[in-house]
Amino acid sequence: MITEEENPTRRERPVGGAYVTAVSRSAGHTFSKGCEPVIRLLAGLGVEGDAHLGVTVRHRSRVARDPSQPNLRQVHLIHAELHEELRAAGFSVGPGELGENVTTRGVDLLGLPAGALLRLGGEAVVRVTGLRNPCAQIEAFRSGLLARVVGRDEEGRVVRRAGVMGVVVAGGAVRAGDRVEVELPPPPYRALERV
């Protein structure tokens, strides 16, 4: 496991504000994705060279149900603070290991409304479509981890904490150290649901 601090692709972070700590991709349908110095987002498609690139769904379970569904999961983002929380609980987890393409710091990803725009670096823009729906692959990766990223609130509603999914609105290169700027959609805001 490579921590954010040990990431060989890490660049200096901007002073203040939210930023990208790591970028990852995998050409195969692997659970974890390898860290890269840079990834390129392609408008309407996703991450260049990643198995989930495409206009229509690429996640195998969704393709099996209906391959014509729009791909609302082109880019997966997780906050580095989750990695730290999981490590404090005894789970060895680093950037890209939970399948995310972009690891951020200083952004309340889970608190964003549907439709929020994330400007990553100088050009790329991702529109947040919903929450990642953690599955049994997380449990296979690290026993006991699924219970840490899925739970219930006081009223019994399911709470998903394994990051957010989005679609690429504007393409561009993204690398560790790039700023993240959030643009909220016009109110009323819609809470994120699983996609």
Side-chain angles (χ1 to χ4, degrees):
M1 181 222 30
I2 297 174
T3 66
E4 173 187 333
E5 294 75 27
E6 298 167 332
N7 182 359
T9 62
R10 183 173 171 241
R11 290 186 353 189
E12 286 302 309
R13 69 181 175 126
V15 176
Y19 61 98
V20 174
T21 66
V23 293
S24 308
R25 68 179 175 172
S26 174
H29 283 278
T30 58
F31 178 73
S32 296
K33 298 178 186 285
C35 287
E36 301 278 345
V38 62
I39 59 173
R40 179 160 295 284
L41 303 187
L42 303 176
L45 295 172
V47 179
E48 183 177 54
D50 192 81
H52 298 111
L53 177 80
V55 174
T56 57
V57 292
R58 293 295 186 253
H59 288 77
R60 290 182 288 189
S61 63
R62 292 166 189 265
V63 168
R65 281 190 298 235
D66 178 2
S68 68
Q69 295 176 70
N71 188 1
L72 302 178
R73 300 164 55 105
Q74 294 174 358
V75 181
H76 178 199
L77 301 98
I78 284 185
H79 48 296
E81 294 86 350
L82 176 63
H83 291 160
E84 291 168 356
E85 180 185 323
L86 294 172
R87 282 195 296 273
F91 295 94
S92 175
V93 178
E97 289 189 326
L98 295 180
E100 76 272 19
N101 300 109
V102 179
T103 310
T104 65
R105 176 169 296 286
V107 182
D108 180 11
L109 294 174
L110 302 177
L112 293 173
L117 297 178
L118 299 174
R119 298 183 185 282
L120 308 172
E123 302 171 335
V125 180
V126 172
R127 180 173 46 85
V128 177
T129 55
L131 297 168
R132 176 191 184 181
N133 189 31
C135 64
Q137 288 183 348
I138 289 178
E139 190 66 16
F141 174 68
R142 299 275 190 276
S143 181
L145 190 57
L146 185 59
R148 294 287 180 164
V149 296
V150 179
R152 296 208 176 262
D153 65 13
E154 308 80 43
E155 288 139 24
R157 292 180 299 235
V158 174
V159 176
R160 293 170 179 86
R161 303 178 55 240
V164 298
M165 308 304 283
V167 296
V168 182
V169 175
V174 182
R175 54 184 53 87
D178 282 350
R179 287 189 181 279
V180 178
E181 297 176 13
V182 177
E183 182 181 323
L184 297 176
Y189 301 135
R190 275 186 316 113
L192 294 177
E193 298 178 1
R194 72 182 175 101
V195 293

